[in-house]
Amino acid sequence: MEAFNFFGVQRRALHLMLALDCSNSMRGEKIKSLNYAMRAALPAMRNAAEDNPEADVFLRILRFGDVAAWLGPAIALHEAQWHDLEAEGLTSLGGALTLLAQELTPERLSGRILPPIVILVSDGQPTDDYRAGFAAFEAAPLIRSGAARMAIAIGADVDRPILQRFMGEHGGPPLEARDAGELVNRMRWASSVTIQAASRPALRSVLTQEEVAKPAGDPFIWDGGNERCRELHGGGAFRI
């Protein structure tokens, strides 16, 4: 029997998938900042999920370095805990896109679902066959039928055309994180806003507009900037 809330609204599953670059170029402060950003983003994601009366939100993490691999099955967002990632190897973006494509089908995400959300975070350039990965990803049924896509570019060396392609033909530009504080804000913004918009067609269409995809100001404020990041990480915040 499918769950109903107290107001009689039939709930649907909302799948949030995060594809995170863990290649060698993320070593040091970048991977530390990504881990902190994820810990900081989880409460904002839960708050956004609680404000969405139609959705049960599930989180799944895909890391990619030398190889791409899922970090376990999807888990209910309210049960999710963050376990720090380490950086190693090359940048198997094509492998990550292929794994995403395999999951973004009605057979794998069955039942009553909202359009899934896929967020890509990367600081470099792919080192494998990303073209084949994109072909599979763009042909995935749930991508073609309107999954929400967001990308976050870390630092100066990222391949922005690649991230722009990930955003889709009608997507805005990737969000940019030039230092650790911006990465925290971008992760919180991207994950929480897409969760809020998932069951609201009007808001989903707004996410494709440049002025929202690349906001002038963040609704979440990093209250301590790089000094706070250095305190938490025991080192210097990355910069470009």
Side-chain angles (χ1 to χ4, degrees):
M1 178 180 296
E2 295 189 68
F4 285 76
N5 70 12
F6 291 112
F7 300 100
V9 177
Q10 195 170 18
R11 298 174 70 85
R12 292 180 285 176
L14 172 59
H15 293 272
L16 171 60
M17 301 178 181
L18 305 182
L20 306 178
D21 187 344
C22 295
S23 61
N24 265 330
S25 60
M26 288 287 291
R27 282 184 181 274
E29 294 309 312
K30 287 183 180 179
I31 196 68
K32 292 178 183 179
S33 298
L34 176 61
N35 285 320
Y36 182 77
M38 283 303 307
R39 291 194 296 271
L42 276 174
M45 292 159 62
R46 293 190 187 104
N47 289 339
E50 290 172 0
D51 289 339
N52 191 327
E54 297 187 20
D56 291 316
V57 183
F58 296 89
L59 176 65
R60 198 170 188 196
I61 305 297
L62 174 64
R63 70 174 304 281
F64 58 98
D66 270 335
V67 297
W70 292 106
L71 301 182
I75 186 171
L77 181 57
H78 68 274
E79 297 177 356
Q81 296 182 347
W82 184 249
H83 301 283
D84 284 355
L85 301 176
E86 296 183 358
E88 54 78 27
L90 301 176
T91 309
S92 55
L93 176 61
L97 293 169
T98 299
L99 289 181
L100 287 168
Q102 293 170 357
E103 293 299 309
L104 291 164
T105 70
E107 293 75 26
R108 298 302 293 266
L109 301 182
S110 59
R112 288 177 53 83
I113 65 170
L114 289 163
I117 300 166
V118 190
I119 299 176
L120 171 65
V121 182
S122 180
D123 80 322
Q125 302 183 14
T127 55
D128 64 351
D129 187 2
Y130 70 90
R131 294 179 180 84
F134 264 120
F137 179 75
E138 291 165 348
L142 295 180
I143 288 296
R144 296 180 65 182
S145 63
R149 292 181 265 174
M150 298 288 287
I152 300 175
I154 300 177
D157 296 328
V158 67
D159 190 329
R160 283 172 175 77
I162 291 288
L163 296 192
Q164 185 65 65
R165 180 172 177 179
F166 180 85
M167 294 285 289
E169 182 181 357
H170 302 294
L175 301 175
E176 295 191 7
R178 294 165 294 184
D179 56 35
E182 284 193 347
L183 179 57
V184 173
N185 288 333
R186 298 315 191 204
M187 286 298 302
R188 294 174 72 177
W189 189 88
S191 55
S192 60
V193 168
T194 49
I195 289 172
Q196 291 170 344
S199 61
R200 306 169 192 174
L203 285 179
R204 284 206 306 273
S205 65
V206 162
L207 287 175
T208 66
Q209 298 176 14
E210 180 173 344
E211 62 268 26
V212 176
K214 189 176 181 180
D218 290 306
F220 299 101
I221 303 301
W222 171 252
D223 55 354
N226 294 326
E227 291 302 323
R228 177 61 174 157
C229 190
R230 278 192 286 271
E231 176 186 336
L232 290 164
H233 296 165
F238 69 87
R239 293 180 179 275
I240 61 171

